Amino acid sequence: MLPLYKTIPSPVGQLILVARDTKLAAILWENERLNRVRLGPLEEDSQHPVLKETERQLMEYFAGQRRRFDLALDFAGTDFQVRVWQALLSIPFGETRSYRDIAIQIGQPTAVRAVGAANGRNPISIIAPCHRVIGTSGSLTGFAGGLAAKQFLLSLEGQQTLQLVF
């Protein structure tokens, strides 16, 4: 069975929600970089229960009414990537961590660059909050949705404006 998708509007542009069976597999950005997340062919289904529930929870988040998501997730990646993505889930709403913090958390303190690469391939943006990962200096660094979207999400969560790095 092909993964199913639904496109929704959001304050950070159109988002493409993708489900595999009964789990959320991806949230992709409007101007998604080709092959950042490998999913293969997709089939549209705007009524799929997982996609509808994801949309509902995202709208609550954007309205400032939700701080935690309650969705079954289907991370597809290497063991290392999945460990990084799972670590993202532990970053509390309104807080940030550095790539170094994540590397230490997963028990590989010298893997800072690899953590950055895995973070950049996070398939479930916003829900697995890769936007909460910043440079050690406190600067905003690359983000699949663009730095303006990253700043918006951090501001929504109450973070002060951070320095943008291009």
Side-chain angles (χ1 to χ4, degrees):
M1 180 175 186
L2 293 176
L4 303 173
Y5 80 93
K6 173 181 186 161
T7 303
I8 64 168
S10 84
V12 289
Q14 292 220 342
L15 298 174
I16 301 163
L17 314 179
V18 181
R20 259 191 225 100
D21 297 320
T22 61
K23 296 181 179 181
L24 182 66
I27 296 178
L28 306 175
W29 299 94
E30 188 170 355
N31 298 310
E32 185 71 35
R33 189 178 83 232
L34 187 63
N35 288 327
R36 183 184 73 81
V37 176
R38 296 173 194 246
L39 295 165
L42 303 174
E43 182 178 315
E44 188 169 12
D45 182 354
S46 63
Q47 298 306 309
H48 187 281
V50 170
L51 300 177
K52 288 175 69 172
E53 180 60 17
T54 301
E55 178 181 22
R56 184 184 73 75
Q57 290 189 30
L58 282 169
M59 292 305 110
E60 290 174 356
Y61 169 79
F62 288 126
Q65 301 166 344
R66 176 174 287 274
R67 296 168 64 99
R68 294 183 56 97
F69 295 95
D70 183 23
L71 297 161
L73 306 178
D74 182 9
F75 286 122
T78 66
D79 289 343
F80 180 84
Q81 288 173 326
V82 171
R83 286 189 7 242
V84 170
W85 301 334
Q86 290 289 338
L88 298 176
L89 296 171
S90 72
I91 306 172
F93 180 94
E95 294 185 21
T96 58
R97 299 290 184 270
S98 71
Y99 296 101
R100 181 174 311 287
D101 293 335
I102 299 296
I104 291 167
Q105 181 179 341
I106 66 168
Q108 294 197 250
T110 61
V112 176
R113 287 182 187 262
V115 164
N119 198 59
R121 290 198 171 271
N122 171 23
I124 309 178
S125 297
I126 305 171
I127 307 290
C130 50
H131 62 278
R132 295 179 190 155
V133 182
I134 60 174
T136 304
S137 67
S139 59
L140 293 187
T141 56
F143 185 62
L147 292 180
K150 184 171 188 163
Q151 182 62 64
F152 176 88
L153 295 170
L154 290 172
S155 295
L156 178 71
E157 296 182 10
Q159 286 292 312
Q160 299 299 319
T161 301
L162 300 168
Q163 177 186 356
L164 296 176
V165 174
F166 295 94

